[in-house]
Amino acid sequence: MSSFYITTAIDYVNGKPHLGHAYEKVGTDVLARWRRLMGDDVFYLTGTDEHGSKVEKTAAAAGMDPQSYVDSLVPAFEGAWTALNISHDRFIRTTDADHAATAIALLERIRDNGYLTEKKYEGWYCDGCEAFKTDKDLVEGKCPDHPTMDPRWIEETNLFFKLSEFGDRLLAHYDANPEFVTPAFRRNEVLSLIRAGLLDVSISRSRESVGWGIGIPFRPDSVLYVWFEALINYLTGAGYGQDDATFANRWPAVHVLGKDVTRFHCVLWPAMLMAADIELPSRIFAHGWVLTGGEKMSKSSGVGVEPVAMAERYGADPVRFYLVMEVPWGKDGEFTWERFETAYTAFLANGIGNLLSRSVSMAIKYFGHVPEGPVDRHLFDLCERVVSEATDAYDALRITEGAQAAWAIVRECNEQIQARAPWVMAKDPEQREALASFLYALLESLRIAAALLTPVMPSKCAELQDALGCAGDRDRTGADLLAWGGLQVGGELTKPSPLFPRLDQLLAD
């Protein structure tokens, strides 16, 4: 059994989660569920980033201490991922005790290896980004990402990480591992950044400027810089410094994160690991944004769609389906309510839902059970090709392509029903064997499609499996699950209630 450790970026707790946060969690969940289907030992980590000046200031404005403030916000994130059926194995918080211990263990390892130094820093600091800014980063004196905030001028002596010493090593790793960062155009962006030259990074803050953070034992007047510290959560989740056996089995990780944080994850983080003599992540995938009206969803700007309300209204699986199929994984994609409801009707209600209802109803009406007949070569060949294409795509982290490959089965089955007209075949006794062959092929194709789409729509695919009498598929993994012939001839079928009710019915309830 192979180990597969996958992580999301952790969410900063300065407001409620929106659909952009959900996009990353759903996409990562699809990958985690896929690898479980393939029989791997999966550990999926997500959580919240809770330190830094932004939290400290917002908590003070609300009349709360920082810990109470973050405690009040975290349930919204946990609840959102429950509502969307996210199957994470741990929800980590950077205020967890083991995370503080791991962060300090890594810091001390980097220090002992000679990659920390002390320097005086003078410059602008954006509390919104939790990052230092140069004059060229600012537009009319403001951070372009947080134009309503005034950057602060900070002068203090800090610990610096010697990032400047890792440019050549990073480039060598990228050259030797062309799939280290995907999609390829994100990799090229990172390479350009490295080739432009790297500067040492301040990784501490004085308690006078930022009081809310993990204290540094050998520097009691300072806390760890939030971005340096937050990245270490991936090691915490793997057991670094706490459980050597778990860490040896679980690490390295596959990181899934947004395109706006590649600078930290694809440059700073690998250099930190190199400095501590730790193996680098196996893959880093940078996804795009969910846009609405052409604008990125953001807590600070107030632009967003609440995923919990969507899941409560339409169900978790339609939300998951839209995010996977309609927002190309790795690129930006637009969300509108009209597009969402159009996709629901076309793909779910009229697509897979109608296919299940028609196929099962005809098999019950004409045979009373799962019929037996010669192999339908057209649908057999289709499923064999789709399984190969979907497997390759999911394995390569291309979840949209994987789901679209699986959907080819649904589309072709519906087209074949219209082309072959089984209701006409049923009137001709000489076509009974051909009818049995076709109906078995429809049901078996649906079973295989459901297996391939289970990572995307786990609840509805389970309902589909129940209707086909193959609930046992939920206990099968790997090639056995996806091989033709898994549906038991003579098996009992259950005429299902609508898998995806029409919108007028759904919203009337």
Side-chain angles (χ1 to χ4, degrees):
M1 181 183 293
S2 298
S3 176
F4 183 73
Y5 177 40
I6 189 166
T7 74
T8 72
I10 50 177
D11 296 316
Y12 203 70
V13 285
N14 64 330
K16 290 184 178 180
H18 53 64
L19 202 60
H21 297 100
Y23 178 52
E24 180 171 291
K25 307 308 176 291
V26 167
T28 309
D29 189 56
V30 170
L31 293 169
R33 288 178 180 274
W34 169 253
R35 296 301 288 259
R36 292 191 193 106
L37 276 181
M38 294 299 100
D40 290 344
D41 175 22
V42 173
F43 193 85
Y44 171 16
L45 182 75
T46 192
T48 44
D49 179 5
E50 303 179 20
H51 289 126
S53 62
K54 189 175 359 180
V55 165
E56 187 175 34
K57 289 177 179 296
T58 308
M64 302 173 70
D65 66 88
Q67 186 66 59
S68 298
Y69 176 70
V70 295
D71 287 346
S72 72
L73 290 175
V74 166
F77 290 86
E78 293 177 313
W81 312 150
T82 297
L84 287 172
N85 203 4
I86 303 301
S87 62
H88 55 272
D89 296 287
R90 177 177 176 181
F91 186 96
I92 194 169
R93 299 177 58 182
T94 55
T95 51
D96 290 342
D98 64 337
H99 174 65
T102 296
I104 296 305
L106 183 75
L107 179 71
E108 291 177 341
R109 180 79 171 270
I110 293 172
R111 176 199 63 186
D112 294 345
N113 284 349
Y115 292 109
L116 295 185
T117 188
E118 190 175 274
K119 297 181 185 179
K120 184 175 181 180
Y121 182 83
E122 296 182 357
W124 296 107
Y125 188 79
C126 172
D127 289 303
C129 295
E130 297 279 6
F132 286 114
K133 301 289 181 179
T134 64
D135 287 334
K136 68 179 182 180
D137 293 328
L138 305 178
V139 177
E140 296 181 355
K142 304 277 190 175
C143 170
D145 293 328
H146 299 90
T148 61
M149 296 181 177
D150 290 322
R152 291 187 290 147
W153 183 263
I154 291 180
E155 297 182 14
E156 58 186 34
T157 299
N158 293 334
L159 281 177
F160 276 72
F161 171 58
K162 297 179 182 179
L163 181 62
S164 60
E165 297 189 13
F166 289 90
D168 289 342
R169 288 179 63 181
L170 288 169
L171 290 174
H173 184 80
Y174 272 86
D175 185 59
N177 301 274
E179 296 295 312
F180 178 56
V181 171
T182 53
F185 61 92
R186 298 289 176 218
R187 175 181 182 273
N188 294 335
E189 292 170 356
V190 174
L191 286 173
S192 295
L193 181 64
I194 298 170
R195 288 169 180 149
L198 300 177
L199 301 176
D200 293 346
V201 176
S202 172
I203 62 163
S204 72
R205 299 291 181 268
S206 72
R207 288 189 179 275
E208 291 183 3
S209 62
V210 182
W212 179 235
I214 295 176
I216 302 174
F218 57 88
R219 193 181 177 87
D221 62 342
S222 300
V223 299
L224 277 175
Y225 170 44
V226 64
W227 260 111
F228 183 90
E229 171 246 306
L231 292 165
I232 301 170
N233 89 89
Y234 307 128
L235 292 180
T236 307
Y240 178 80
Q242 312 292 315
D243 185 334
D244 292 343
T246 296
F247 184 70
N249 177 66
R250 194 168 289 168
W251 191 261
V254 171
H255 295 321
V256 176
L257 47 103
K259 65 179 184 178
D260 52 335
V261 291
T262 54
R263 175 190 296 259
F264 296 102
H265 285 84
C266 304
V267 180
L268 175 60
W269 177 231
M272 290 165 59
L273 295 171
M274 287 176 175
D277 301 315
I278 298 172
E279 184 179 357
L280 269 56
S282 55
R283 291 284 297 276
I284 300 176
F285 188 94
H287 62 77
W289 293 334
V290 181
L291 307 175
T292 180
E295 188 174 350
K296 178 193 174 187
M297 294 189 185
S298 165
K299 294 191 294 286
S300 58
S301 69
V303 176
V305 175
E306 190 176 341
V308 174
M310 282 188 72
E312 289 175 348
R313 188 178 189 190
Y314 298 94
D317 281 357
V319 179
R320 293 170 62 101
F321 179 85
Y322 183 90
L323 291 174
V324 173
M325 291 283 281
E326 298 295 306
V327 183
W329 190 235
K331 302 179 181 178
D332 294 346
E334 185 77 18
F335 173 85
T336 68
W337 287 107
E338 180 181 8
R339 288 181 61 173
F340 174 77
E341 294 191 346
T342 297
Y344 178 97
T345 298
F347 289 103
L348 301 180
N350 294 343
I352 195 170
N354 191 40
L355 175 60
L356 174 66
S357 178
R358 297 167 82 188
S359 301
V360 170
S361 295
M362 288 188 291
I364 292 174
K365 179 178 180 179
Y366 300 136
F367 294 95
H369 51 69
V370 177
E372 181 177 16
V375 172
D376 184 294
R377 296 305 308 184
H378 179 77
L379 291 179
F380 174 90
D381 291 344
L382 170 71
C383 287
E384 192 171 63
R385 174 176 58 79
V386 164
V387 165
S388 177
E389 291 176 354
T391 297
D392 289 347
Y394 281 137
D395 285 350
L397 313 185
R398 301 192 307 268
I399 62 171
T400 302
E401 291 180 32
Q404 288 175 341
W407 204 258
I409 295 176
V410 177
R411 183 173 58 251
E412 182 63 19
C413 284
N414 275 321
E415 291 177 0
Q416 287 296 309
I417 289 174
Q418 292 305 114
R420 301 197 207 185
W423 51 89
V424 175
M425 296 171 67
K427 296 176 182 179
D428 183 354
E430 293 186 1
Q431 294 197 63
R432 186 162 180 80
E433 184 179 68
L435 178 63
S437 172
F438 179 46
L439 290 180
Y440 179 88
L442 286 176
L443 298 172
E444 176 65 355
S445 297
L446 255 176
R447 184 194 70 81
I448 292 172
L452 292 171
L453 290 167
T454 288
V456 181
M457 300 187 293
S459 296
K460 290 299 183 180
C461 286
E463 289 182 31
L464 192 155
Q465 290 167 336
D466 290 341
L468 295 179
C470 57
D473 274 12
R474 295 199 281 279
D475 298 321
R476 300 164 66 193
T477 59
D480 178 58
L481 172 65
L482 301 174
W484 185 273
L487 194 61
Q488 184 67 42
V489 170
E492 183 178 350
L493 295 167
T494 303
K495 188 172 183 179
S497 55
L499 192 64
F500 292 98
R502 296 196 317 266
L503 280 174
D504 58 345
Q505 299 173 324
L506 181 70
L507 302 181
D509 294 340

